[in-house]
Amino acid sequence: MTTVVRPAITNTFEPWQKGKPKSVTFIVTEDCQLRCGYCYVVGKSKTHKMSFAVARATVDYLLRERQLFIDDSVIWEFIGGEPLLEIELIDRISDYIKFRMYEQNHPWFNSYRFNFTTNGLLYGTEKVQHYIRKNIRHLSVTISIDGTRPKHDAQRVFPNGAGSYDAVVQNIPLWLRQFPHARTKSTISHEDLPFIKESVLHMWELGIKNVSMNVVNENVWLPGDKDLFEEQLIQLADYIIDHRLYNDYSCSLFSESIGQPLDPDNDQNWCGTGYMLAVDGEGTFYPCIRFAPYSLQNRPARSIGNCFDGIDTNKLRPFLSLTRKAQSPAPCLSCEVASGCAWCPGNNYDNAATDTIFQRAIFTCQLHKARIRANLYFWAKLQGQPDYIYQPLLCEGRCE
Amino acid sequence: MVKQQAGDCARQNQSYCDGKIVGKVSYEERDEIQVLFERKNGLVELVRSLAEADDEVLRNSHFYERIVADVGKTITSYQQWWSENARRYGWEKTEGYQWEINFDTCQVFLRKQ
Amino acid sequence: MMFQYVLVILEKGAVPFCHYQNPHFYSTREPERMSLAILENVVEIARTNELFVNFLYGKQRLPPEYEKLIETVKHVKIMPLPLTTVYRDGIAVLDADDCDSLVEQDNVTYGNLILRVEKHNIADLSRLFRLLQGKCMRINIHLVGIEYFTESEIAIYEGELETISRELVKQYEGGKDIEVSLLSDRMLLSAMNNCDAGVKHITVAPDGKCYICPGFYYRDTTSDISVSLQEALAAPITNGRLLDIACAPICSRCDAYHCKRCVYLNLKSTGEINTPSGQQCIVAHIEREMSRIMANSLEWLEGFQELPRIACTPFRDPLQKVLRRNQSAPMATSGGRITARPESDGFLAKVFDTQQKILQLLQKNKEEKHG
């Protein structure tokens, strides 16, 4: 049997269990050591923390209501602020989750993950490492590093304005030893555009072979940004191809599947809001963390229940029925290059003209099109390389 | 400068460059071992947590006994799956190498330990 | 703006005539009426723009100057049933709680009657139908508080509808001509027949401000869409597209055509103007199913043979048509390679080693407990 290898650059990130698990996000704290410029958490607080009682009530509710939560798998996610500030709480919650899933013979015991996205500052501490060792086979940890020191420190700063690059990067080798296939999550805002190429290369140099990078959805973009974005991506494309890095490294900015018209019958929302569940320190449920009070600047929070009374299915209904067509403006529906164009319902809601999730913000439209132009250039040039074996995208679910 | 590293495969559901494919199982067989694999990992980590648990949990000795029995049963089933399928499909085996399965492709590899 | 008609609330205590509630209606204070000046302005605009007007009355007769002004524009009067003795052309609104006392006193028959039914009246619905059926040609039933209906209440409602539908079938077989909105309408419809508040009509409150419908006015007086009717006609409603069924993912896939798709109730129960509550959808589908069964029973009868077919559906909630698996999830890998391999003996030893420690701890606890 021969082995056909698709180059790493063609890798699109495939979530665990193909994105079908139930995702439960505990907002364990609103505190963070950093004050990142683009952070959607607009109301950081040292006092708003989750109690174990709230977490326990949430876990008990979710495990008890099996008819409501019929997914075969679960992702228990811990978020903040900075979640590792509350590692002891997280440890206690995780132990409780494991005990209860096992005690109740719940199917989730056979298919669960603990998920973190962290600024990485506390990654190497003994308490965090103890937790990792204890749960290593069920853990997914993403450290947010934005790229080179100038790019990272332009946004990811301490309250006194000092950059956090050095403090984070010292933990990267340990992280990669423990999670060899980890990917980082890097965010691009207006100020970061000139640093995209060098940042991707820098992260690859650090050993992070899979880089997820996305532009922020918020309205931070200025008229010349699309050209700068395209220019950076083309420079990166040239470097990748000229140095033959495409076999071993991946970056989410390059994707074969973007830039196509969408099937008119494709009416799905971009993300899983409504199918996920976020819970804050008070025990209030939200369809996603972006609808919690600390994430919103212009609109009131959108709760869908709480851990004591359960989910309010009527409040959840709009999120379950949120379709692409109902929220998108007419130009988006007829867009010839719509595939891969992302949106965030939380951001949409916060920027809508009324209190609705059915109004899609299109601040990143021009950047999406710039990305497509750069991708067209990249893939066309790549196919001309002698060692690049073109393989059509596999249909989902089919093993070759 | 970032250098190309030959033979290194970044993607989890990609056929491994540094392992030899010795077989492939059906989706159902894959599902069997995946559940056992996950359960085994879950039990191991549950035991780790139990070692640190407060007395209230430990006082429930039936809980503990159940876990111990479960660990044994799961690991036995897990080993059995490998033995039976290796025999059924005649997978190649070599001293110093072990089998691995890729859950996405259902392929079984022989990889150096 | 393509409005076809306008609802004018003549006073704060005007009769609630559909799904919303108006506590001011039950007040015994002097009516807080729309000023004559505002009414003149509204009537003038309606005439100029060829808008049909629905006037909502309170419990008391209007002053003569108001009555005279109202007659200068094409309109319909909607009022509490007792007031129809004064205004014979009025459409009567009746609360189910008042049915027995009012109907007994009244020897008049009505063409069109609006019946408001609350949760506590549900179990009585078929009796109310029998009480009213000789009194009017059409009963428009509006359920009040539907967003609070429980499963058991919905089951009771279904039973009552079944009883009414059997009696209706007998009436039709006997050549009688009576309509019950929740059952008869769907048999006749082949397309949506919704309220269309904010799309086909707009509401003017006593202070002259405009609202999507009276429910919005009574729920929150700051939810006005404009300060005057003139302005409402000139400028589109912010995010007004969400009032259109095309932007309602659940409703646009639904064929419970008789449902009023009350946007006020939508906002109140789900937080979105284009999303109905589960109770509303289920109730509408129960009504639809009853209509379907009725239509099947009557298909042999002349006049009913050409009715549009109502198909069987396997669900009660049209949200099922929209639901799909989520496409993406938070980034989570397996924590390593997704592989499994046979266990080595060393691993088992580690597991049992930990178990030994636990056993020792258990033993120690036991000794401490028993001294």
Side-chain angles (χ1 to χ4, degrees):
Chain A
M1 189 188 303
T2 55
T3 302
V4 175
V5 177
R6 298 196 82 226
I9 201 69
T10 61
N11 295 345
T12 52
F13 173 67
E14 191 153 293
W16 178 64
Q17 300 287 41
K18 298 192 194 312
K20 288 179 183 171
K22 183 70 184 178
S23 172
V24 181
T25 303
F26 294 92
I27 305 172
V28 292
T29 180
E30 293 180 18
D31 192 14
C32 183
Q33 310 97 314
L34 302 180
R35 295 293 180 267
C36 301
Y38 49 56
C39 186
Y40 57 80
V41 179
V42 294
K44 290 187 174 61
S45 160
K46 284 191 180 307
T47 53
H48 289 167
K49 295 182 189 192
M50 181 174 280
S51 68
F52 179 70
V54 162
R56 182 176 55 203
T58 301
V59 171
D60 287 346
Y61 169 72
L62 290 167
L63 296 183
R64 186 175 63 238
E65 299 295 331
R66 186 72 189 132
Q67 77 282 5
L68 278 181
F69 307 109
I70 58 173
D71 317 78
D72 293 334
S73 312
V74 65
I75 297 174
W76 306 97
E77 188 174 23
F78 300 96
I79 208 163
E82 169 50 44
L84 297 185
L85 284 169
E86 294 298 323
I87 190 63
E88 288 178 24
L89 172 64
I90 290 170
D91 197 2
R92 195 175 171 200
I93 296 171
S94 302
D95 283 349
Y96 184 77
I97 286 170
K98 289 187 288 189
F99 290 145
R100 292 291 279 174
M101 288 194 299
Y102 182 78
E103 185 188 42
Q104 295 183 20
N105 212 16
H106 199 288
W108 284 351
F109 182 76
N110 299 328
S111 193
Y112 73 91
R113 293 290 182 267
F114 294 128
N115 191 20
F116 295 80
T117 300
T118 168
N119 60 29
L121 294 174
L122 295 174
Y123 188 84
T125 59
E126 178 46 37
K127 283 184 179 168
V128 171
Q129 286 300 303
H130 172 74
Y131 176 84
I132 289 173
R133 283 193 297 270
K134 203 160 85 167
N135 297 286
I136 185 80
R137 291 188 182 221
H138 287 90
L139 269 186
S140 166
V141 180
T142 301
I143 291 184
S144 296
I145 178 164
D146 269 6
T148 56
R149 176 179 289 137
K151 182 183 183 307
H152 183 99
D153 286 347
Q155 297 280 353
R156 301 188 71 79
V157 297
F158 290 99
N160 63 5
S164 61
Y165 177 86
D166 288 330
V168 173
V169 85
Q170 67 178 345
N171 289 318
I172 297 294
L174 174 61
W175 174 51
L176 291 177
R177 276 201 305 278
Q178 292 173 329
F179 301 99
H181 299 281
R183 43 194 323 123
T184 186
K185 189 166 156 299
S186 175
T187 310
I188 306 168
S189 189
H190 161 73
E191 296 82 4
D192 309 317
L193 287 170
F195 307 110
I196 292 176
K197 173 203 164 191
E198 65 185 52
S199 291
V200 172
L201 297 177
H202 179 68
M203 286 189 279
W204 287 348
E205 276 175 6
L206 288 175
I208 307 168
K209 292 184 185 169
N210 304 299
V211 171
S212 278
M213 225 180 205
N214 60 274
V215 297
V216 298
N217 290 298
E218 283 76 8
N219 188 13
V220 300
W221 305 106
L222 300 180
D225 287 350
K226 60 177 173 56
D227 299 317
L228 186 49
F229 186 46
E230 186 176 344
E231 190 185 308
Q232 281 289 305
L233 290 183
I234 287 179
Q235 286 181 19
L236 178 60
D238 283 336
Y239 192 97
I240 290 171
I241 293 169
D242 295 345
H243 294 82
R244 296 200 175 156
L245 302 178
Y246 41 83
N247 281 322
D248 303 307
Y249 300 93
S250 77
C251 173
S252 65
L253 291 170
F254 295 107
S255 168
E256 291 172 286
S257 62
I258 67 166
Q260 311 291 326
L262 284 173
D263 187 332
D265 291 334
N266 179 344
D267 204 11
Q268 290 171 359
N269 189 30
W270 177 258
C271 69
T273 191
Y275 296 89
M276 308 186 286
L277 186 72
V279 55
D280 72 3
E282 316 282 315
T284 306
F285 290 161
Y286 303 96
C288 160
I289 55 164
R290 292 303 302 271
F291 290 94
Y294 78 157
S295 299
L296 295 166
Q297 294 195 64
N298 307 313
R299 297 257 162 246
R302 287 288 288 262
S303 156
I304 56 169
N306 62 70
C307 64
F308 308 106
D309 303 319
I311 285 184
D312 182 336
T313 52
N314 279 334
K315 292 287 190 282
L316 181 61
R317 266 172 100 79
F319 297 92
L320 296 178
S321 64
L322 182 59
T323 61
R324 182 176 68 95
K325 287 177 190 168
Q327 64 183 296
S328 301
C332 295
L333 297 177
S334 58
C335 180
E336 290 293 321
V337 291
S339 73
C341 185
W343 64 86
C344 168
N347 178 62
N348 291 349
Y349 172 68
D350 209 16
N351 288 282
T354 57
D355 285 358
T356 182
I357 59 174
F358 289 88
Q359 183 183 347
R360 181 173 158 190
I362 53 171
F363 304 129
T364 57
C365 176
Q366 294 304 315
L367 280 99
H368 169 66
K369 288 170 179 165
R371 181 182 168 214
I372 290 165
R373 289 192 294 271
N375 267 261
L376 287 171
Y377 171 82
F378 175 73
W379 294 106
K381 187 171 177 180
L382 185 60
Q383 285 185 27
Q385 299 304 303
D387 63 337
Y388 176 71
I389 302 166
Y390 174 70
Q391 288 290 319
L393 280 176
L394 298 180
C395 294
E396 191 178 47
R398 187 161 53 92
C399 285
E400 287 294 304
Chain B
M1 190 174 93
V2 181
K3 291 185 181 170
Q4 181 189 8
Q5 295 176 30
D8 200 352
C9 304
R11 189 170 182 209
Q12 290 166 348
N13 65 350
Q14 186 177 341
S15 304
Y16 298 124
C17 309
D18 58 348
K20 181 182 177 184
I21 298 176
V22 297
K24 190 170 173 179
V25 296
S26 67
Y27 291 127
E28 291 74 22
E29 287 162 342
R30 183 274 313 269
D31 290 345
E32 284 168 11
I33 190 62
Q34 188 167 18
V35 168
L36 289 170
F37 175 70
E38 293 278 353
R39 188 166 186 82
K40 177 178 70 68
N41 291 339
L43 287 167
V44 163
E45 291 177 357
L46 182 63
V47 166
R48 282 190 198 138
S49 292
L50 204 59
E52 296 176 5
D54 60 27
D55 290 343
E56 191 185 330
V57 177
L58 286 181
R59 247 183 258 128
N60 186 350
S61 61
H62 292 297
F63 187 66
Y64 173 69
E65 282 164 12
R66 184 181 149 199
I67 296 174
V68 169
D70 212 336
V71 168
K73 181 179 153 198
T74 302
I75 291 177
T76 303
S77 300
Y78 184 82
Q79 293 284 42
Q80 248 175 344
W81 187 95
W82 284 104
S83 310
E84 280 176 14
N85 284 291
R87 190 178 57 245
R88 181 185 310 152
Y89 295 117
W91 294 334
E92 179 186 331
K93 53 183 175 180
T94 308
E95 189 75 28
Y97 283 71
Q98 64 191 13
W99 296 308
E100 281 188 5
I101 182 171
N102 182 314
F103 289 136
D104 287 316
T105 63
C106 305
Q107 290 166 326
V108 178
F109 296 84
L110 202 59
R111 188 187 303 283
K112 195 163 185 171
Q113 281 177 323
Chain C
M1 280 272 102
M2 298 296 292
F3 296 131
Q4 294 168 17
Y5 58 102
V6 58
L7 263 145
V8 176
I9 305 173
L10 288 169
E11 59 181 82
K12 206 167 183 180
V15 64
F17 72 101
C18 60
H19 295 290
Y20 65 93
Q21 289 174 301
N22 177 15
H24 302 284
F25 176 67
Y26 305 98
S27 166
T28 52
R29 293 213 304 244
E30 279 300 304
E32 294 172 52
R33 280 203 188 97
M34 176 182 278
S35 72
L36 191 59
I38 291 175
L39 185 59
E40 280 170 351
N41 182 248
V42 168
V43 166
E44 177 57 33
I45 293 170
R47 273 207 301 264
T48 309
N49 291 276
E50 296 181 5
L51 297 171
F52 193 89
V53 183
N54 288 12
F55 289 104
L56 295 182
Y57 285 66
K59 292 203 281 276
Q60 295 183 19
R61 184 171 187 163
L62 290 171
E65 58 273 25
Y66 282 72
E67 290 177 343
K68 196 174 165 190
L69 179 58
I70 283 167
E71 296 307 322
T72 64
V73 69
K74 281 189 199 165
H75 70 278
V76 108
K77 300 178 177 76
I78 300 173
M79 60 188 58
L81 185 140
L83 200 58
T84 57
T85 54
V86 177
Y87 300 105
R88 306 303 296 185
D89 58 340
I91 295 175
V93 181
L94 185 60
D95 280 349
D97 283 339
D98 299 328
C99 243
D100 289 300
S101 55
L102 286 174
V103 166
E104 266 172 26
Q105 296 164 17
D106 206 349
N107 292 322
V108 179
T109 55
Y110 304 89
N112 222 337
L113 181 75
I114 298 173
L115 180 68
R116 296 179 77 244
V117 174
E118 298 198 39
K119 267 177 45 139
H120 58 270
N121 304 126
I122 289 298
D124 220 15
L125 198 57
S126 55
R127 187 188 71 82
L128 293 172
F129 167 72
R130 282 191 292 278
L131 198 62
L132 292 168
Q133 64 180 331
K135 298 271 179 190
C136 56
M137 294 184 63
R138 178 177 167 86
I139 309 172
N140 293 281
I141 299 178
H142 287 285
L143 300 176
V144 181
I146 193 173
E147 64 273 25
Y148 301 113
F149 276 30
T150 61
E151 275 185 36
S152 57
E153 281 156 355
I154 292 176
I156 292 170
Y157 178 64
E158 187 173 5
E160 290 296 302
L161 276 189
E162 202 175 351
T163 305
I164 296 173
S165 68
R166 280 201 297 268
E167 297 198 18
L168 265 181
V169 166
K170 282 187 203 157
Q171 298 272 341
Y172 292 142
E173 286 172 348
K176 297 274 174 59
D177 195 7
I178 176 167
E179 291 176 11
V180 175
S181 61
L182 300 176
L183 291 167
S184 319
D185 290 1
R186 180 58 185 86
M187 287 198 297
L188 305 169
L189 292 169
S190 52
M192 277 290 184
N193 181 38
N194 308 132
C195 169
D196 286 327
V199 177
K200 288 187 181 157
H201 62 90
I202 207 79
T203 292
V204 183
D207 58 4
K209 288 185 185 171
C210 288
Y211 297 79
I212 292 173
C213 81
F216 286 85
Y217 167 64
Y218 287 110
R219 184 173 182 236
D220 175 9
T221 52
T222 65
S223 66
D224 58 289
I225 56 168
S226 71
V227 295
S228 70
L229 180 57
Q230 192 65 46
E231 200 179 289
L233 296 178
I237 299 173
T238 307
N239 267 332
R241 66 182 176 87
L242 295 178
L243 295 166
D244 202 281
I245 195 170
C247 279
I250 298 175
C251 303
S252 59
R253 289 164 169 81
C254 179
D255 71 345
Y257 297 144
H258 67 288
C259 173
K260 289 304 155 199
R261 212 169 69 82
C262 176
V263 295
Y264 157 74
L265 271 188
N266 288 353
L267 187 67
K268 192 178 170 206
S269 51
T270 71
E272 289 284 347
I273 213 160
N274 66 347
T275 308
S277 64
Q279 291 90 335
Q280 176 58 57
C281 289
I282 290 169
V283 160
H285 269 67
I286 289 172
E287 293 156 0
R288 177 194 180 281
E289 177 63 9
M290 290 297 159
S291 299
R292 186 186 73 79
I293 293 169
M294 266 177 59
N296 285 349
S297 313
L298 294 165
E299 64 181 354
W300 60 273
L301 199 59
E302 193 183 337
F304 288 88
Q305 286 144 354
E306 302 303 316
L307 293 180
R309 296 278 303 159
I310 306 174
C312 249
T313 54
F315 52 81
R316 283 194 161 186
D317 188 347
L319 176 64
Q320 300 304 316
K321 286 185 177 175
V322 184
L323 282 179
R324 71 276 180 215
R325 293 295 299 167
N326 59 319
Q327 286 298 294
S328 67
M331 292 206 284
T333 66
S334 66
R337 282 181 174 174
I338 308 174
T339 60
R341 62 179 79 88
E343 283 306 332
S344 65
D345 289 340
F347 173 76
L348 270 174
K350 280 182 203 160
V351 170
F352 287 113
D353 184 46
T354 311
Q355 290 170 0
Q356 283 302 312
K357 287 182 188 158
I358 294 170
L359 267 174
Q360 284 165 9
L361 195 54
L362 269 176
Q363 188 63 29
K364 185 181 163 198
N365 288 342
K366 195 175 164 186
E367 282 165 7
E368 279 172 3
K369 192 178 172 183
H370 295 290

